[in-house]
Amino acid sequence: MYETIQMLHSYLAYVALAILIIAVINAISGLLSKRVFTMNKDLRLSLFALILCHIQLLVGLILYFISPSGFSAIQEFGMGGLTSAARLLAVEHPFVNILAIASITIGWSRHKKFVEGDKKFKSIAIFYGIGLILILSRIPWSQWF
């Protein structure tokens, strides 16, 4: 079961990251070109990125509690006994990605309050962009390729 969830978390990360990048680029291009925020393309792309990131977070939280390099590593070695690679997986990666998903969620919630397209695009571009940067900063790159 652990291997299946780990594979799901790994492969879903590629999809979620790709859609998040596309959503940020779409929001920036919509903001710069002063395009009208459409329900068909812009809303669905932003919503799809939000949903995929939340699913990825849930799979990651499940993995965190069943993985030997997650919560059990902290219980076994304590916070002071973790190497930098173990600390990345057990502490930094989960914590920063929770902050990233919170930022993306704030961007989604804020955009719904606005009527003007430029404010919607700005909210999504800023908060989804912050989330993207946070996610990219804590990906365990040595395990990705």
Side-chain angles (χ1 to χ4, degrees):
M1 182 171 138
Y2 164 70
E3 291 83 17
T4 305
I5 294 176
Q6 186 177 21
M7 278 183 41
L8 177 64
H9 187 65
S10 296
Y11 290 122
L12 186 59
Y14 291 111
V15 177
L17 191 59
I19 298 298
L20 183 60
I21 289 170
I22 292 169
V24 170
I25 291 171
N26 180 62
I28 292 171
S29 71
L31 182 63
L32 294 177
S33 66
K34 301 194 185 305
R35 198 174 65 223
V36 175
F37 190 87
T38 63
M39 296 299 168
N40 288 335
K41 178 187 171 199
D42 303 317
L43 179 91
R44 290 176 196 242
L45 186 59
S46 303
L47 179 61
F48 197 53
L50 175 84
I51 291 169
L52 280 174
C53 288
H54 277 89
I55 291 170
Q56 176 69 357
L57 176 66
L58 288 175
V59 172
L61 286 173
I62 292 168
L63 185 64
Y64 179 75
F65 287 107
I66 66 170
S67 170
S69 58
F71 186 67
S72 62
I74 295 173
Q75 287 179 324
E76 184 177 341
F77 300 111
M79 289 297 286
L82 295 174
T83 64
S84 63
R87 188 182 67 240
L88 173 68
L89 291 175
V91 179
E92 296 169 6
H93 178 74
F95 180 72
V96 172
N97 284 332
I98 289 170
L99 292 177
I101 302 304
S103 174
I104 291 168
T105 305
I106 290 169
W108 174 258
S109 296
R110 279 187 49 122
H111 109 277
K112 293 190 301 184
K113 295 178 182 176
F114 300 122
V115 176
E116 301 88 14
D118 60 334
K119 289 184 179 181
K120 286 180 174 285
F121 282 127
K122 185 177 181 181
S123 177
I124 290 171
I126 291 172
F127 287 97
Y128 278 45
I130 290 170
L132 177 63
I133 290 169
L134 288 172
I135 289 170
L136 290 174
S137 74
R138 293 296 111 199
I139 289 177
W141 292 104
S142 62
Q143 296 177 0
W144 251 48
F145 300 110

